[in-house]
């Protein structure tokens, strides 16, 4: 099963501590070596993005920034055996922030990526 994790936080006014980035790289290496981590990257602020919406039969495009206080700042895609395993990787990632960046706040949303196994075979 594949899971997408989305990290959101209020945009920090200071860069992350160097020790945090080193710890994140080590955790990523562990996840990659275990075969769990498929992809990861940072995301640009919403100010450089856009939303395409369909409402009442009309398409509209809205350029960022968006009004939410928190922004999605990175993502990761994991290939794991269960939601619990995906949550464990996300918790380990957040624990690094707790330990190495006092006062930082954010959240990780864990979402299953649908695959063929999630749909009934044709009748």
């Amino acid at each position: 099963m594949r899971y997408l994790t989305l990290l959101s936080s209020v945009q920090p006014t200071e860069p992350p501590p160097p020790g945090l980035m080193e710890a994140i790289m080590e955790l990523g290496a562990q996840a990659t070596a275990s075969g769990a981590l498929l992809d990861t990257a940072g995301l640009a602020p919403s100010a450089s993005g856009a939303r395409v919406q369909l409402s009442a039969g009309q398409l509209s495009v809205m350029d960022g920034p968006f009004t939410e206080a928190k922004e999605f700042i990175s993502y990761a895609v994991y290939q794991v055996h269960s939601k619990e395993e995906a949550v464990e990787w996300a918790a380990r990632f957040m624990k690094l922030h707790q330990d190495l960046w006092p006062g930082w706040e954010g959240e990780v949303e864990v979402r299953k990526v649908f695959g063929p196994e999630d749909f009934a075979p044709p009748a």
Side-chain angles (χ1 to χ4, degrees), residues 56-73:
Q58 298 295 311
L59 283 173
S60 63
V61 177
M62 181 175 71
D63 288 328
F66 308 123
T67 59
E68 293 84 2
K70 290 184 178 180
E71 297 246 1
F72 289 118
I73 59 176

Side-chain angles (χ1 to χ4, degrees), residues 88-123:
E88 175 61 28
W89 283 111
R92 289 176 65 185
F93 180 82
M94 293 300 274
K95 179 78 168 111
L96 295 177
H97 287 74
Q98 180 183 32
D99 293 346
L100 299 171
W101 198 350
W104 182 88
E105 294 184 1
E107 62 186 38
V108 174
E109 187 170 328
V110 178
R111 296 270 196 99
K112 186 174 188 314
V113 177
F114 282 134
E117 70 278 6
D118 297 302
F119 300 96

Side-chain angles (χ1 to χ4, degrees), residues 39-54:
D39 189 31
T40 185
L43 299 171
S46 71
S48 63
R51 285 188 177 152
V52 180
Q53 181 179 14
L54 175 61

Side-chain angles (χ1 to χ4, degrees), residues 5 13 28 30 38 40-41 53 73 82 85 87 98-99 102 114:
T5 63
T13 56
Q30 292 172 17
L38 300 179
T40 185
Q53 181 179 14
I73 59 176
S82 66
E85 189 178 349
V87 168
Q98 180 183 32
D99 293 346
F114 282 134

